Amino acid sequence: MTHSEVRPNGPAAQFTEVTVQHPLGLHLRKSKDVVQVANRFRAEITAQNLTRTSPVVDAKSILQLMQIQARQGHVIRICANGPDADDALVALRRLFDHRHYDLPSAS
Amino acid sequence: MTILQRGLPAAPGIGIGTICIYRPHDLMLETPPAEASSRGVSPRREWQRFLHAQERVDAELARLGESLNHVAADIFSVHRLILADKTLTESIRSAIQLSGFSAVSATRQVVLDMAQMFRELDDEYFAGRAADILDIGRRLLAHLGAPIGPSQLDELPPFTILLTDDLTPTDIAMLPAHNIAGIGLAYGTPTAHSSILARSLGFPLVCGLGPEILSLDRNLPAILDGYQGLLIVKPTAQQTDDYGADQARDLDRQAVALAHAHEPARTSDGTLIPVYINANTAEEVTAMRGSGADGIGLLRTEYLFQGRAEPPSVAEQQAIYGHFARQTDGRPLTVRALDAGGDKPVEYLMGPGEANPFLGLRGIRLLLANPGLLTDQFRALLLAAREQPAEMVIRFMLPMISTVGELEEARTLLEEVRGAVEQANDGAAGARVEIGVLVEVPAAALLAERLAAVTDFLSVGTNDLAQYVLASDRTNSQVAGMADPLHPAVLQLIARTAYAAKIFDVPISLCGEIGGNVKAVPLLLGLGITELSVPLPAAPLVKQAVREADLFHCRQLAESALRCSCAEDVRALLTVS
């Protein structure tokens, strides 16, 4: 499910909130998946870690996405703004819903 | 002239080769010549140079990703993504086009700033990613023709004795296994994370050799002795011959050990000694059967609790323990209760900072302060055990017990959980779960008889026992060398604990790193240890060492060792025998 938010000086942005399921959090490999999916869309896509109240970052940049330090159980708000915003959010949600429960490794 | 550097033996084996020094921070620390836009750098040309270097680094990373295993492939594909990241490239572009920096200075400055920004993050994992950014920066600078020739880990020549300050997981993934003869670390300790990882690759490894090794000339001939913890630079012809013979004997022994890896280990006089492995990860649990080990003698559970916002649920833990128990295929499985604190912090459990975390609220102390953690973990293990065959042995081991009262309090809690689970149980039997003590505090060893009377098994954790007996922090490389498990004071306590186990007829295992030292195996058996739990790659060799031992001689050796006054004398005994 996605929501709309009216910004004072721009078109309506869609957003959705997801919980990080993976035991290692949004680690390097997982972030890579998110960034690669985000880059398939023209919409401007941002992410914010609500649990840590992180700054809002560009989800198309892995360097920025790592800065929100998302761990298992943290809630992330993903915001999309642009012609294909809806599709982008659906695709990104799927990445988080998918509980690929590979066992964690120590490193 | 021959130079001898002493360190701490961290992984067995002998390496003979030439020195290669790896200084990961070289390129970044070099101060570039001062530059300004007035110097007439052409921004357009510099930006083109950067793009060209970026392209070549990308091709290089793509090639590396294809040539190694999937772990490395993953890492390098992430590095390619970082390399192409607009946050990085736009900053470099503006440094070149707006501030007039050269491609080299712009890259260096932006990469350093970015790495610094990561280092300042609160979360250790994400802060650690600074290393990945620096890694990419080094590659870029090398392609931009920066002043220093980089020593790249993936381009080491054959028979390399790699000397460096410490290694990160990224470094380790890049090591060309077939070209590494041995690794010497200036810092680090045998029980540190980096050592455990390097050991899993089977390289001879010596830690704590001191920063002097980093100023040795590269390409000098050297020998790395992973048994005694020595680095011999410019060895004499005699030393090279002797070590060459040792190495050949090692390889023969290894071949024999591997051929018999799946057979039980009996001493020459017929006593069966189970040889288990210590497991940190799901991968190691899976690899256990292939190694021929007799089960898992220490499954650490900290990582299940780390890097998340709250502890895993009972159901989640049950699924994981069940998975591990199935992997062991009916062989014994020992699960250590959450051992948080000390050098293994778990964010959401830690109270205010402690001045002495190793002497603080850790292990069983932390569990008794948060009994829900202990009972949840035990409940999950009991539920997982119900799905296992009745003849399987599952053990739950309590870390950092220092008083009999702690054990009694924990047992009361655990037996209540067991009662509740059995009552709710519809009659399915499953494996029984035993409760035992990890003896790693001197007080526990001194009162081992009192503990043995009320426990199903004992296990000696020599890493912590040594650091507590010798009052030496094993994570502080300046004193870690003193925390030697072969020190006679530590051996006295091992003997005492083993004696208590014998009187009360409970199994006594040893799960410290020393168990993986094949030369120490006869001594440990002589001290009365009846089961060994060792690092995975060491299991076949330890089994072979057991087969070559006879208990009568082992006991004589132990008696001599207990009379020694220092660890060096004990080591000398082991080398002779």
Side-chain angles (χ1 to χ4, degrees), chain B residues 260-330:
Chain B
H260 298 278
H262 292 267
E263 296 164 21
R266 285 182 192 282
T267 57
S268 60
D269 50 315
T271 307
L272 180 70
I273 307 289
V275 176
Y276 307 128
I277 64 151
N278 301 335
N280 284 309
T281 63
E283 289 78 18
E284 282 172 320
V285 172
T286 311
M288 185 273 290
R289 280 182 294 175
S291 75
D294 300 311
I296 293 174
L298 169 62
L299 176 68
R300 301 183 176 98
T301 56
E302 289 72 61
Y303 72 91
L304 297 176
F305 293 78
Q306 282 166 335
R308 44 189 298 158
E310 51 188 29
S313 66
V314 171
E316 198 178 325
Q317 291 189 60
Q318 183 190 345
I320 292 170
Y321 303 145
H323 171 80
F324 287 156
R326 283 189 296 280
Q327 293 286 313
T328 62
D329 205 18

Side-chain angles (χ1 to χ4, degrees), chain A residues 29 61-62 69 71-72 103, chain B residues 74 85 87 123 308 323:
Chain A
R29 264 184 301 145
S61 161
I62 189 163
Q69 309 179 74
R71 285 302 198 170
Q72 187 177 39
L103 282 163
Chain B
D74 267 347
D85 196 311
T87 311
D123 187 297
R308 44 189 298 158
H323 171 80

Side-chain angles (χ1 to χ4, degrees), chain B residues 267-503:
Chain B
T267 57
S268 60
D269 50 315
T271 307
L272 180 70
I273 307 289
V275 176
Y276 307 128
I277 64 151
N278 301 335
N280 284 309
T281 63
E283 289 78 18
E284 282 172 320
V285 172
T286 311
M288 185 273 290
R289 280 182 294 175
S291 75
D294 300 311
I296 293 174
L298 169 62
L299 176 68
R300 301 183 176 98
T301 56
E302 289 72 61
Y303 72 91
L304 297 176
F305 293 78
Q306 282 166 335
R308 44 189 298 158
E310 51 188 29
S313 66
V314 171
E316 198 178 325
Q317 291 189 60
Q318 183 190 345
I320 292 170
Y321 303 145
H323 171 80
F324 287 156
R326 283 189 296 280
Q327 293 286 313
T328 62
D329 205 18
R331 297 177 180 85
L333 167 67
T334 303
V335 175
R336 182 175 71 187
L338 172 66
D339 188 12
D343 60 342
K344 294 171 297 231
V346 174
E347 284 178 12
Y348 51 85
L349 292 178
M350 297 298 135
E354 296 179 317
N356 289 305
F358 277 116
L359 303 180
L361 194 63
R362 59 170 297 206
I364 193 70
R365 302 168 185 181
L366 187 76
L367 292 172
L368 290 175
N370 302 272
L373 282 173
L374 180 66
T375 52
D376 274 4
Q377 199 173 16
F378 192 58
R379 182 171 290 117
L381 191 60
L382 288 172
L383 292 172
R386 285 199 316 181
E387 299 150 15
Q388 309 308 320
E391 56 281 7
M392 182 174 174
V393 178
I394 295 182
R395 291 170 172 172
F396 189 57
M397 180 156 77
L398 303 172
M400 278 294 287
I401 293 276
S402 42
T403 68
V404 180
E406 283 170 339
L407 174 61
E408 286 169 346
E409 192 182 341
R411 270 214 92 123
T412 307
L413 283 169
L414 297 179
E415 294 305 342
E416 273 170 26
V417 175
R418 197 201 300 272
V421 168
E422 276 171 8
Q423 207 165 22
N425 187 354
D426 39 4
R432 186 181 157 72
V433 180
E434 300 178 344
I435 298 169
V437 169
L438 181 56
V439 177
E440 50 190 341
V441 177
L446 290 164
L447 292 185
E449 285 173 39
R450 259 36 79 70
L451 295 172
V454 284
T455 191
D456 299 320
F457 66 92
L458 294 175
S459 185
V460 186
T462 46
N463 300 353
D464 270 327
L465 185 60
Q467 84 162 346
Y468 289 129
V469 169
L470 290 149
S472 310
D473 183 344
R474 63 183 162 84
T475 62
N476 176 348
S477 56
Q478 297 184 75
V479 296
M482 287 179 67
D484 192 332
L486 287 178
H487 193 284
V490 181
L491 301 182
Q492 295 278 358
L493 292 184
I494 298 175
R496 195 179 178 113
T497 309
Y499 180 73
K502 188 176 175 190
I503 293 194

